[in-house]
Structures are given as structure tokens and as C-alpha cells.
Amino acid sequence: GEQWKRNDNWGSDLPLSEWYGLSVDKGVVTYVRLSNNNLTGELPRSIGVLSEVYGGVQLGDNNISGRIPKGMFLHENVYLNNNQIESIESPDDPSDVRTVSLHLENNRIYGALPEFIADAPVLQYVDLENNLFTGSIPPSYTSLISQNRRLYLNGNYLSGRLPESIVQNPDFQLSWMEFLYQNGAGFDLEDVPLRAPISYFLYSDPQTGTVEGPYYAIDVYSKNRYTVIYEGWRPENLSDELIAWYDAY
């Protein structure tokens, strides 16, 4: 840890409560917070040794690379976002996973989506956005699409048809915007109905400056042939093409 931004008392004989980034309760480490601390290299396989006492591990915004060892998933909250991680070691049994909140966005993880993530019963929040995942979404991931569980997959290289179990999931229409936006060819969405996001916005008339609303997106979209929304737009920034669309429709 010599290259860390902060390594106060690490490796010393002082109580763990005085080591930078450690939260300790009655002599037991309950949390590790070393985000944005210039950590480099691979995670040690021993990361899960103290799994009985860790409430969470925050190691985001560093330069960690290589593989995530399966022991990491013995921690309740895992933050490894914004690193250079490339792969994940799957636990031997998904029921061994104790992670409730998993943040792996903005890494370089490649290959197929791990099946154990969908099969882990306690996982409630999964963010895998902006990685290099390829292939299709497994049918097992249907279980992650619900009002009680959150799945974020945007910004990968996933493709193919969506499993019918996902399309028919009652919560699909409320969450599709969290995983359908992909790099590359993207998903085949032919004959897949997509409801407008449940959101609202204010409208400022370009000519008068009058502000109207709020308008609920689902009400507006359903009446239009085409809908283009620019957040914070200015009339002088509108292209001729957009103006032509506005005049035509």
C-alpha cells in the first residue's frame, strides 16, 4: 500500500480502529472503505477470510485489475465500480452468496453474464453497466426484474432476442430502460412492446418562453408519431432537421 493516497497506520501494531478506511465495532472490522485511494493490482483470494465480520467493501474508483475472487461475494455490500476488472470467479453455490448490493459498473468485465448473479437469493441490487459483457440475457435473469430487485445492464455489448420470460414479466415495462441500451448491434426488439418511461417533464415554448407542465411522458408519447426530447434545450441550438420534424409532426 505504499502507493495509496492514504495508508495511515496500515501494517502497524496500532488497533485496527486506527487504520485508515476501517470501521471497527468492539474489535471487529465491520466495513472497509478505500475508494479513490490509488489501489492497484489484483484482489487477493483471501478477501473473503473475514467474511463473517465485514458489512461491506468499498474499493471503487481505483485501478484494481484481474479477477474478482469468489470470496468477495461473502460481503454484504460490494463496491468495485470504476476499476479495470476483467472477470469474475463464480461461487461454488449461489446460495453461499451473501452480497445484497453489487456495484461492478464501469469496469472491463467480458464474456457472458454470470448465472450465479440471478440465482443468488439475497441479491437485491446489481449494477453491471458499462462493461464488455456479450451474448444474450439468460432467462434466469428474469428474477432480477421486479419492484424489489434492481438490474442495470446498459452500456455493454449484449444482443439477441430477449427471453420471453422477461418480456412477459409484469415489471418489464417499468424497468426496460435500465438494461436495453447496448453498444454494438444491441437486442432484437421486433414485436417487443415498450411502454414510455413513467416520468414527467416541463415544457418551455421556444418562441414565448412560457413554461408549461408537468407533462407525463407516457401521456405525451402515446399521442405522437415521433417524440424527441432535449433536456435543457435552447431554440438557437435546434438543428434544421429537428425544426423540420417539429413542423411536420
Side-chain angles (χ1 to χ4, degrees):
E2 293 183 0
Q3 81 283 358
W4 293 4
K5 293 181 180 179
R6 295 281 303 274
N7 60 2
D8 311 19
N9 300 324
W10 274 74
S12 71
D13 295 329
L14 292 173
L16 292 177
S17 59
E18 297 185 31
W19 290 25
Y20 174 76
L22 298 187
S23 295
V24 179
D25 182 25
K26 298 178 181 178
V28 175
V29 177
T30 58
Y31 225 103
V32 176
R33 295 179 174 87
L34 293 172
S35 296
N36 191 25
N37 200 41
N38 201 33
L39 275 65
T40 61
E42 299 189 7
L43 295 166
R45 294 188 61 84
S46 58
I47 194 72
V49 171
L50 298 178
S51 60
E52 295 293 340
V53 297
Y54 280 1
V57 177
Q58 292 186 357
L59 302 178
D61 298 290
N62 284 293
N63 197 32
I64 298 170
S65 59
R67 195 177 197 185
I68 300 175
K70 60 185 179 182
M72 179 63 73
F73 303 107
L74 297 176
H75 305 297
E76 184 174 350
N77 299 289
V78 174
Y79 291 83
L80 288 169
N81 50 295
N82 302 314
N83 279 286
Q84 299 293 320
I85 295 166
E86 298 176 344
S87 62
I88 301 172
E89 181 182 18
S90 297
D92 299 327
D93 187 340
S95 63
D96 293 336
V97 174
R98 301 176 188 174
T99 304
V100 175
S101 182
L102 179 61
H103 300 258
L104 301 181
E105 65 271 22
N106 301 317
N107 277 283
R108 301 184 57 80
I109 307 173
Y110 62 87
L113 293 171
E115 288 278 0
F116 83 89
I117 287 179
D119 297 333
V122 299
L123 260 176
Q124 300 296 317
Y125 184 100
V126 179
D127 195 338
L128 303 177
E129 287 191 339
N130 300 319
N131 278 283
L132 303 175
F133 288 109
T134 55
S136 58
I137 299 181
S140 59
Y141 271 58
T142 304
S143 64
L144 291 169
I145 301 174
S146 72
Q147 296 184 18
N148 298 321
R149 308 180 81 183
R150 309 303 298 178
L151 172 66
Y152 298 90
L153 295 175
N154 287 334
N156 283 285
Y157 290 82
L158 300 170
S159 59
R161 292 287 294 177
L162 294 176
E164 191 64 20
S165 56
I166 287 181
V167 175
Q168 297 301 324
N169 186 316
D171 294 307
F172 169 68
Q173 293 296 344
L174 301 177
S175 59
W176 62 263
M177 69 291 300
E178 295 167 357
F179 55 85
L180 288 192
Y181 298 107
Q182 298 296 315
N183 299 310
F187 296 110
D188 177 3
L189 298 176
E190 185 177 0
D191 300 324
V192 177
L194 297 177
R195 183 187 303 168
I198 299 178
S199 59
Y200 67 88
F201 55 91
L202 301 176
Y203 169 72
S204 177
D205 189 289
Q207 297 179 340
T208 67
T210 303
V211 178
E212 303 173 0
Y215 294 100
Y216 287 89
I218 192 169
D219 296 331
V220 175
Y221 295 177
S222 63
K223 299 174 183 178
N224 296 347
R225 182 174 179 183
Y226 301 104
T227 299
V228 178
I229 299 176
Y230 274 77
E231 183 178 358
W233 76 349
R234 295 290 183 271
E236 61 270 19
N237 295 334
L238 293 179
S239 67
D240 292 339
E241 183 178 7
L242 281 176
I243 293 174
W245 282 9
Y246 181 83
D247 292 339
Y249 302 106

